[in-house]
Amino acid sequence: MTRHKLIFPLSFPTIHTDRLILKQPTIADAKDMHTYLSNETVCRYMGIDAHESIEDTKGEIKWYDNIFKEQTGIRWGISFKNNPAIIGSCGFLNLEKQHLRTEIGYELHHDHWRKGIMKEAITAVLRYGFQEMNLNRIEALIDPDNLTSVKLLEKFNFVREGLLREYEYGKGKFDDVFIYGLLKKY
């Protein structure tokens, strides 16, 4: 019987696509990231309040560092090849090594919506997860009102597996989420 094992990168991987560089965000990127993480429209479906201060955004970057160090996730900053400013992020969280499973999350500066950027980033991140990390399953938890994200995931053949009632607490209330799953064999 083949033994299945997660392969977690020893150093933070940088991914290049046609237009983008997916890289490790640093504290030096906080100002760029704050421009979209302080925007209520961007944060509407994230279950968090828009960042009020640059310190909030630095805390987000520290969380990215911690999940990588603890090997519970990887969050890439998204930038264009011709401009190093981070315009969004995409990556894995809640990594379950034993079960070769993780959750994908992402957000993008509103100036760059509907240009295929997140589709390009997610394509690269899914490929990395399945091919390089040997993941078997990637999940997504999506606010049922976030129709844009629902449509995006369905383009990747994520399957809606159910509704998790009052699954997350954020912004002072409990929220329902759809759970989507994508298996390596698909």
Side-chain angles (χ1 to χ4, degrees):
M1 184 164 85
T2 304
R3 180 159 166 79
H4 298 283
K5 185 174 180 183
L6 182 82
I7 302 165
F8 197 87
L10 298 176
S11 60
F12 198 98
T14 299
I15 302 173
H16 297 266
T17 70
D18 288 343
R19 296 182 290 169
L20 308 173
I21 297 176
L22 281 63
K23 60 188 178 181
Q24 183 173 26
T26 67
I27 294 297
D29 299 307
K31 184 178 177 188
D32 294 332
M33 294 172 65
H34 188 71
T35 63
Y36 63 86
L37 289 172
S38 63
N39 184 300
E40 188 59 44
T41 303
V42 172
C43 296
R44 176 179 8 177
Y45 299 118
M46 293 174 62
I48 64 169
D49 291 320
H51 290 190
E52 293 182 12
S53 72
I54 197 79
E55 293 307 313
D56 293 339
T57 305
K58 288 178 180 178
E60 183 85 1
I61 294 167
K62 289 175 186 171
W63 177 70
Y64 295 172
D65 288 342
N66 285 339
I67 64 172
F68 184 75
K69 287 175 188 166
E70 295 167 0
Q71 297 188 354
T72 60
I74 304 174
R75 193 73 169 218
W76 286 271
I78 301 168
S79 66
F80 288 108
K81 285 185 173 179
N82 63 355
N83 184 345
I86 291 184
I87 59 168
S89 78
C90 182
F92 302 130
L93 61 151
N94 299 325
L95 179 65
E96 293 287 342
K97 290 181 182 181
Q98 177 184 351
H99 303 292
L100 302 175
R101 154 180 99 223
T102 194
E103 180 185 333
I104 193 168
Y106 46 86
E107 78 282 328
L108 185 65
H109 191 296
H110 61 84
D111 288 350
H112 301 288
W113 289 0
R114 292 174 180 73
K115 297 178 183 177
I117 293 166
M118 193 51 72
K119 182 179 179 189
E120 189 172 330
I122 290 174
T123 298
V125 168
L126 292 175
R127 183 179 303 119
Y128 188 89
F130 287 132
Q131 293 178 3
E132 303 299 325
M133 295 177 67
N134 197 36
L135 290 166
N136 181 63
R137 176 182 169 84
I138 298 175
E139 299 173 341
L141 301 176
I142 304 294
D143 184 307
D145 293 330
N146 190 347
L147 300 179
T148 302
S149 196
V150 165
K151 289 176 185 175
L152 178 62
L153 290 179
E154 289 176 350
K155 286 180 184 177
F156 287 101
N157 297 318
F158 274 81
V159 174
R160 184 184 309 172
E161 298 173 336
L163 176 70
L164 302 175
R165 298 176 303 137
E166 297 188 1
Y167 187 77
E168 294 182 331
Y169 185 81
K171 298 184 179 186
K173 63 182 179 57
F174 288 98
D175 293 315
D176 296 345
V177 294
F178 285 138
I179 183 165
Y180 277 82
L182 180 66
L183 303 180
K184 185 176 190 173
K185 61 185 168 186
Y186 296 105

